[in-house]
């Protein structure tokens, strides 16, 4: 069971607990807006009810709006938020929370101003301390595996254990190491791009997305019950 978060002004406890209960966040990069809703539905069919829709394509905003309106059973996080204006967009279009690959004080402050739950990206102790100073206790670890994976995270986290931090690792997390990540109590959820990989969207292979979601969800159930 994960450590109960201290009150986090950037990521409410009730939302963090809900995300912990979902465990897996499927990263979704939509190049063709017509793929957004079918992909989200395929993930949900396989048991994955949390996604991170990345704001890196020309159709990201429309894709976000469509998923929010047409697939209400999915918690939609908005990823790759790099600017304060993207914080506004994520909030306006119905995103549940936002995440970023890195730490930008201006982005965190804007998220606080408009009330968008937010988890900044960190990769070093210095970034952890800067994020905590702004009230963040839910942090995205990126890129997790290239940095050193679980061994790196555990070593870095040891100095901050008393702060009850929680992490969402992304980058190199896969079916092969999913179980090990989920077993660490301080991991709120993992982010994974392999479940709804871009090639599968291009092929419109919704059945394979569902199959991968089912396999990941089965691992989640085995670890967290």
């Amino acid at each position: 069971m994960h450590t109960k978060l201290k009150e986090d002004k950037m990521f409410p406890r009730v939302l963090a607990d809900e995300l912990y209960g979902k465990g897996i966040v499927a990263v979704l990069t939509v190049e063709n807006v017509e793929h957004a809703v079918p992909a989200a539905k395929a993930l949900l069919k396989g048991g994955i009810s949390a996604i991170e829709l990345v704001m890196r394509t020309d159709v990201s905003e429309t894709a976000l709006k469509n998923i929010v309106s047409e697939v209400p059973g999915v918690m939609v996080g908005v990823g790759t938020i790099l600017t304060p204006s993207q914080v506004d967009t994520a909030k306006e279009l119905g995103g549940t929370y936002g995440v970023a690959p890195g730490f930008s004080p201006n982005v965190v402050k804007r998220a606080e101003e408009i009330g968008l739950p937010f988890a900044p990206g960190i990769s070093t102790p210095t970034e952890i301390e800067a994020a905590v100073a702004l009230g963040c206790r839910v942090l995205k670890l990126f890129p997790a595996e290239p940095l050193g994976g679980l061994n790196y995270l555990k070593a870095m986290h040891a100095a901050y254990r008393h702060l009850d931090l929680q992490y969402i690792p992304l980058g190199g997390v896969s079916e092969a190491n999913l179980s090990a990540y989920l077993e660490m109590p301080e991991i709120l959820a993992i982010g994974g791009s392999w479940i709804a990989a871009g090639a599968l969207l291009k092929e419109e292979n919704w059945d394979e997305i569902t199959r991968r979601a089912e396999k990941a969800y089965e691992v989640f159930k085995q670890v967290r019950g």
Side-chain angles (χ1 to χ4, degrees):
M1 183 63 181
H2 76 137
T3 304
K4 284 287 185 179
L5 280 170
K6 293 180 179 178
E7 197 53 52
D8 182 342
K9 69 180 181 180
M10 292 306 305
F11 212 101
R13 181 181 302 167
V14 64
L15 180 60
D17 286 344
E18 182 180 357
L19 190 55
Y20 180 86
K22 297 179 182 298
I24 300 171
V25 180
V27 178
L28 200 57
T29 303
V30 178
E31 303 280 355
N32 179 340
V33 72
E34 299 299 325
H35 294 161
V37 168
K41 288 182 176 179
L43 288 164
L44 188 59
K45 183 179 179 181
I48 304 298
S49 58
I51 68 170
E52 176 190 325
L53 180 70
V54 300
M55 302 294 281
R56 295 201 298 263
T57 72
D58 293 339
V59 303
S60 295
E61 293 183 14
T62 304
L64 170 60
K65 183 167 58 176
N66 290 351
I67 292 172
V68 169
S69 64
E70 298 182 42
V71 197
V74 172
M75 175 190 283
V76 186
V78 183
T80 322
I81 294 180
L82 305 179
T83 66
S85 65
Q86 288 180 315
V87 175
D88 294 343
T89 298
K91 176 78 169 179
E92 291 165 3
L93 297 181
T96 305
Y97 64 92
V99 295
F103 172 71
S104 167
N106 289 335
V107 168
V108 173
K109 290 173 183 176
R110 183 57 181 163
E112 181 183 6
E113 287 173 358
I114 69 171
L116 179 72
F118 195 79
I122 59 91
S123 61
T124 66
T126 299
E127 289 170 336
I128 287 179
E129 292 177 22
V132 169
L134 290 182
C136 302
R137 281 194 167 87
V138 173
L139 307 170
K140 177 176 178 175
L141 177 70
F142 180 82
E145 280 295 295
L147 284 169
L150 273 171
N151 288 337
Y152 178 81
L153 177 57
K154 289 176 180 178
M156 182 169 62
H157 173 71
Y160 306 104
R161 193 177 306 279
H162 61 293
L163 298 179
D164 294 337
L165 303 180
Q166 297 279 285
Y167 303 92
I168 304 172
L170 174 64
V173 182
S174 66
E175 185 179 312
N177 57 25
L178 175 59
S179 178
Y181 272 96
L182 288 172
E183 286 170 356
M184 183 174 172
E186 291 81 14
I187 286 181
L188 195 63
I190 68 93
S193 58
W194 85 94
I195 305 171
L200 296 179
L201 268 68
K202 289 178 182 178
E203 297 166 3
E204 300 186 352
N205 194 341
W206 315 128
D207 288 343
E208 176 62 14
I209 290 175
T210 294
R211 188 192 71 79
R212 294 186 184 190
E214 288 172 342
K215 290 188 70 174
Y217 186 62
E218 187 61 34
V219 173
F220 164 75
K221 289 191 296 182
Q222 290 172 359
V223 175
R224 293 192 175 175

